[in-house]
Each structure stands twice: as structure tokens, then as C-alpha cells.
């Protein structure tokens, strides 16, 4: 496998497909690996260019490659292309105005972008809906939210969470501790159990069900698109305050 020049990775929820080619574009590696074995697989391959479309998972993937426990962490150079930041919203807003004469509130689109974990996929779908349906931004946002809810099976996810689970997920997603007196008060406020064993059980449950993922840098990301905002709405706290 020393002649591998480039590897493409097709990311899925649990199993990834790897396709490696040599300098002439000939396939020299084709295999599937489980999510938790991906970095180990790369560690056993020669240095090469690895490309993957990560979507909203780019934060977690970047942190994984830069984890100092990974053998190649010192040599790995992680480059995001294109760089996806709030400028993506400016581009989309200007494109709608210049190409389709559709004028929308940038801040409203920005709120949707952040609600869905900076997902280009869902913003593009929203803009496509604006162009094809000629409905208002509010109507199109509601339409796409419903599509996300169905695709992510969000109702089932939320129904299977206790109030303690919901509070713990919100606290972890905001990178807050779980055991201070004020945050314990938040768990109690939403109807959860504040005992240490209950909170710890909820944290384990969320990880086991792949609803949250602890990154090597100790930050936590929520896996399903928009689940955090959906839980805030479910518990009836519009201002998303822990007070």
C-alpha cells in the first residue's frame, strides 16, 4: 500500500467506505471500516492526502485528527475547503437578491444556520425552497424544519428522553458543568432528577445512543441536526436560558 497517493472517505453514521488511488488514479485500496476504527486505519497507512465531505461534523473530525493521542497528530495538516463560516450566509443572501430578486432578512437566515449546527446542506435546501415555492422565509423555514424533523426522526428521539436527559444534553452542548448548584437548579427546573447517579446515567445514555460525542478537546457536540433547539422548544424555554 506504499503507493497510495490519495484517499477518499465516504462518511456514514456508523460505517465508512475508504477508496485509495495511486499517482495514476488506479484503485489500490477499497474497504469499509467502523467509525471508531477510522483513525486506527489511517495510522497504519502511508502518509497521503485524505479527502472527505464532513458537513456539520467537520468540527468533530478536525478535533479527532488533531488529538495528541493519535500517532500522526504531529504530522497531520487539517485544511477545511471551502471554509464554511457566517460568510456563507452573506453569499446566499446576495445570490438570492442578485439572481432571483428575492430579498430576505440576513439575521433570520443566520438564526436558521446556527439552529442547524451550521449545516450548508439545509441552508441550500432552504434557499432552493425559497426560489421554487416563492413563499416567505418564515414559511420556508417551517417547511425545512419539518423535513429535518422527519428525516432525523426527532419526535421519537425526544419521546425517548427523560427530562433529566434533556437537561443534561443542553448543559453539555453549551459546555457547562453538570454539578454546580445553579446548573443542578436548571435540571430541577425542567423536571429532571438532580442526583449525581441520575445525571451520570443520562450522560452515558446520550453517548450510547450517539446523541452526543465527546471530542478530544473535551468539548461536546450534539450529533442530530437541530436537536438542541428542538429540546429547548420541547421544554418551553424560549430564551434558551439556564437561569
Amino acid at each position: 500500500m506504499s503507493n497510495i497517493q490519495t484517499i477518499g472517505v465516504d462518511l456514514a453514521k456508523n460505517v465508512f467506505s475508504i477508496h485509495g488511488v495511486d499517482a495514476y488514479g488506479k484503485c489500490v485500496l477499497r474497504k469499509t471500516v467502523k467509525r471508531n476504527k477510522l483513525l486506527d486505519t489511517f495510522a497504519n497507512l502511508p502518509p497521503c492526502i485524505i479527502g472527505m465531505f464532513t458537513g456539520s461534523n467537520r468540527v468533530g473530525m478536525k478535533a479527532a485528527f488533531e488529538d495528541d493521542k493519535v500517532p500522526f497528530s504531529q504530522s497531520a495538516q487539517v485544511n477545511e475547503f471551502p471554509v464554511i463560516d457566517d460568510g456563507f450566509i452573506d453569499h446566499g443572501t446576495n445570490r438570492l437578491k442578485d439572481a432571483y430578486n428575492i430579498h430576505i432578512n440576513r439575521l433570520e437566515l443566520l438564526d436558521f444556520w446556527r439552529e442547524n449546527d451550521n449545516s450548508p446542506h439545509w441552508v441550500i435546501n432552504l434557499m432552493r425552497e425559497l426560489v421554487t415555492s416563492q413563499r416567505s422565509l418564515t414559511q420556508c423555514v417551517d417547511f425545512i424544519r419539518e423535513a429535518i424533523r422527519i428525516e432525523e426522526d426527532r419526535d421519537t428521539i425526544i419521546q425517548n428522553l427523560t427530562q433529566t436527559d434533556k437537561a443534561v444534553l443542553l448543559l453539555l452542548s453549551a459546555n457547562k458543568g453538570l454539578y454546580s448548584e445553579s446548573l443542578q437548579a436548571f435540571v430541577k427546573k425542567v423536571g429532571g432528577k438532580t442526583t449525581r447517579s441520575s445525571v451520570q446515567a443520562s450522560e452515558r445514555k446520550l453517548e450510547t445512543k450517539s446523541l452526543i460525542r465527546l471530542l478530544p478537546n473535551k468539548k461536546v457536540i450534539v450529533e442530530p441536526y437541530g436537536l438542541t433547539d428542538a429540546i429547548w422548544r420541547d421544554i418551553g424555554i424560549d430564551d434558551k436560558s439556564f437561569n
Side-chain angles (χ1 to χ4, degrees):
M1 295 187 188
S2 60
N3 56 345
I4 294 177
Q5 295 289 311
T6 307
I7 290 178
V9 183
D10 182 14
L11 300 177
K13 190 166 186 178
N14 297 309
V15 179
F16 299 159
S17 297
I18 296 176
H19 183 87
V21 299
D22 62 16
Y24 301 99
K26 179 182 177 182
C27 179
V28 292
L29 172 67
R30 183 181 288 121
K31 66 185 301 184
T32 58
V33 298
K34 292 184 177 179
R35 173 191 281 268
N36 61 356
K37 296 295 183 182
L38 181 66
L39 297 182
D40 290 338
T41 300
F42 289 151
N44 293 318
L45 295 175
C48 61
I49 297 172
I50 300 171
M52 63 185 79
F53 177 76
T54 57
S56 64
N57 194 39
R58 60 189 179 280
V59 176
M61 192 60 70
K62 184 174 186 292
F65 272 88
E66 294 174 343
D67 181 6
D68 58 13
K69 296 183 180 64
V70 175
F72 50 78
S73 63
Q74 297 301 315
S75 60
Q77 297 181 23
V78 182
N79 297 306
E80 183 180 345
F81 178 82
V83 176
I84 305 295
D85 56 20
D86 290 353
F88 178 73
I89 298 303
D90 294 327
H91 171 76
T93 304
N94 292 332
R95 178 65 178 165
L96 288 170
K97 180 180 65 176
D98 297 340
Y100 302 100
N101 196 31
I102 295 175
H103 299 262
I104 62 172
N105 187 314
R106 174 188 178 275
L107 293 180
E108 288 185 39
L109 186 59
L110 195 62
D111 285 343
F112 177 82
W113 160 256
R114 291 171 178 168
E115 171 188 327
N116 290 288
D117 309 316
N118 296 13
S119 167
H121 170 75
W122 287 114
V123 171
I124 291 170
N125 275 275
L126 174 61
M127 291 192 291
R128 183 179 293 120
E129 181 65 19
L130 280 164
V131 172
T132 57
S133 72
Q134 295 294 305
R135 294 189 292 178
S136 70
L137 177 59
T138 299
Q139 291 172 320
C140 291
V141 165
D142 288 342
F143 177 83
I144 297 298
R145 277 179 179 161
E146 179 67 9
I148 297 172
R149 183 185 67 80
I150 294 171
E151 181 168 313
E152 297 289 336
D153 198 16
R154 193 182 291 156
D155 287 349
T156 301
I157 292 174
I158 292 178
Q159 286 169 8
N160 290 329
L161 294 178
T162 66
Q163 295 303 102
T164 308
D165 298 337
K166 296 171 187 176
V168 169
L169 185 145
L170 292 175
L171 290 165
L172 289 174
S173 68
N175 293 303
K176 293 183 178 292
L178 297 175
Y179 304 108
S180 71
E181 186 175 333
S182 61
L183 297 178
Q184 287 284 296
F186 173 74
V187 177
K188 187 175 182 180
K189 174 183 176 181
V190 302
K193 297 179 180 179
T194 58
T195 62
R196 181 174 289 266
S197 60
S198 296
V199 171
Q200 290 175 338
S202 287
E203 188 174 8
R204 288 194 298 271
K205 174 182 173 180
L206 294 170
E207 287 193 74
T208 300
K209 290 184 172 295
S210 299
L211 298 180
I212 62 170
R213 185 149 57 92
L214 180 64
L215 302 182
N217 59 11
K218 305 305 180 185
K219 291 186 177 182
V220 172
I221 59 174
V222 179
E223 292 286 7
Y225 290 120
L227 181 60
T228 303
D229 276 68
I231 289 177
W232 279 116
R233 290 194 293 270
D234 180 76
I235 63 177
I237 300 180
D238 296 330
D239 63 358
K240 303 177 185 178
S241 170
F242 292 100
N243 298 324

